[in-house]
Amino acid sequence: MLTFFVIFQKTTGRPSPMPSADAPKDIINKLKSIFNVGEGIMVYNTGVASEELEDDEIVCAERRAGKSYCKEVENYIEATRLDKIDPEQFAKFQEYFKNDLEQTQMVATRMDVGDSKTKVIYPEGAESEDSKWLLVVQHEQLKQGVLVEECENVDSASEENSTLPLEDISKCKQNFTYRKLVVLVNGEMKEEMVKLPSNCECSSS
């Protein structure tokens, strides 16, 4: 029997060394650096990963605030590499690289809404119709200026109406529209409908 045991050990390789007495403690310490470890070494995650909502790597302050566009995308230059794109692509979509000047003049003639702000933005990122985030083409000399109207305080009472009775206080709702812009997908320019603020609708409660 002893001879069989020795032969068996030789044919199956060297046995693994026994773990040290401190090994379980080391494992627990490593887990504690990542997770909270409860009684009985039950492991559970204590929060949402910081990049869970930005898994497509389009990160900006506006997106974190729940808006549908990004004014400035972190690492935009490295992500787009617009300097490497064939100039013919820019020429193909030349009609898009302009500001909404005519619409700006039209808005200027409207009655101002105290709870909203109208402005031209140059979004570097925006949310598509199928809720995917896309990089919008904004070259140093070729930009897509889009006119938007945003509520200053969505679903909150207007400051100038704060002295009115509750039933007469206006509340504001942000409306959106889908606008076709030139975006970058896998290094190629293409047209895509993206979600942008259109107007602020205020009404009394």
Side-chain angles (χ1 to χ4, degrees):
M1 189 67 169
L2 179 60
T3 304
F4 174 79
F5 180 77
V6 172
I7 294 173
F8 179 79
Q9 286 288 70
K10 288 183 179 180
T11 56
T12 56
R14 295 181 60 186
S16 301
M18 293 294 291
S20 65
D22 294 331
K25 294 181 180 179
D26 293 338
I27 294 173
I28 292 175
N29 289 334
K30 288 180 180 180
L31 288 172
K32 282 183 176 179
S33 67
I34 305 173
F35 304 101
N36 277 351
V37 180
E39 188 175 349
I41 321 181
M42 293 182 64
V43 179
Y44 51 91
N45 200 333
T46 58
V48 178
S50 59
E51 298 300 320
E52 184 173 328
L53 296 179
E54 291 96 16
D55 53 0
D56 43 25
E57 298 182 355
I58 296 181
V59 185
C60 69
E62 289 80 18
R63 183 177 179 182
R64 292 191 181 104
K67 295 188 177 183
S68 64
Y69 67 90
C70 289
K71 283 185 179 180
E72 295 183 4
V73 173
E74 298 176 14
N75 301 319
Y76 180 78
I77 296 177
E78 293 80 3
T80 57
R81 296 304 305 268
L82 295 178
D83 57 323
K84 302 295 183 182
I85 295 179
D86 190 334
E88 291 185 1
Q89 288 199 51
F90 285 97
K92 181 180 178 181
F93 298 103
Q94 186 175 0
E95 62 182 287
Y96 287 91
F97 298 105
K98 61 184 179 181
N99 291 346
D100 287 342
L101 294 179
E102 294 182 3
Q103 292 187 40
T104 304
Q105 293 173 356
M106 291 173 60
V107 171
T109 62
R110 296 184 336 179
M111 185 190 314
D112 291 336
V113 180
D115 299 301
S116 69
K117 183 176 292 185
T118 302
K119 56 189 174 182
V120 174
I121 63 172
Y122 303 89
E124 293 184 351
E127 187 178 358
S128 69
E129 286 184 296
D130 54 358
S131 300
K132 292 182 179 179
W133 280 79
L134 303 171
L135 290 167
V136 179
V137 177
Q138 299 289 4
H139 190 270
E140 184 177 353
Q141 297 176 342
L142 296 169
K143 293 183 177 293
Q144 300 179 83
V146 183
L147 185 73
V148 298
E149 180 183 325
E150 290 187 283
C151 294
E152 291 287 275
N153 298 294
V154 179
D155 291 333
S156 62
S158 167
E159 290 184 5
E160 57 189 48
N161 293 331
S162 59
T163 58
L164 297 175
L166 184 61
E167 62 273 11
D168 295 331
I169 294 178
S170 64
K171 291 187 177 181
C172 299
K173 173 188 175 183
Q174 181 66 62
N175 292 326
F176 297 88
T177 187
Y178 285 93
R179 171 80 177 269
K180 188 178 290 187
L181 295 180
V182 180
V183 302
L184 201 64
V185 179
N186 297 324
E188 296 289 330
M189 290 187 188
K190 61 179 295 187
E191 300 166 323
E192 192 76 41
M193 300 293 286
V194 297
K195 183 179 179 181
L196 294 168
S198 59
N199 69 292
C200 181
E201 183 179 349
C202 298
S203 61
S204 57
S205 55

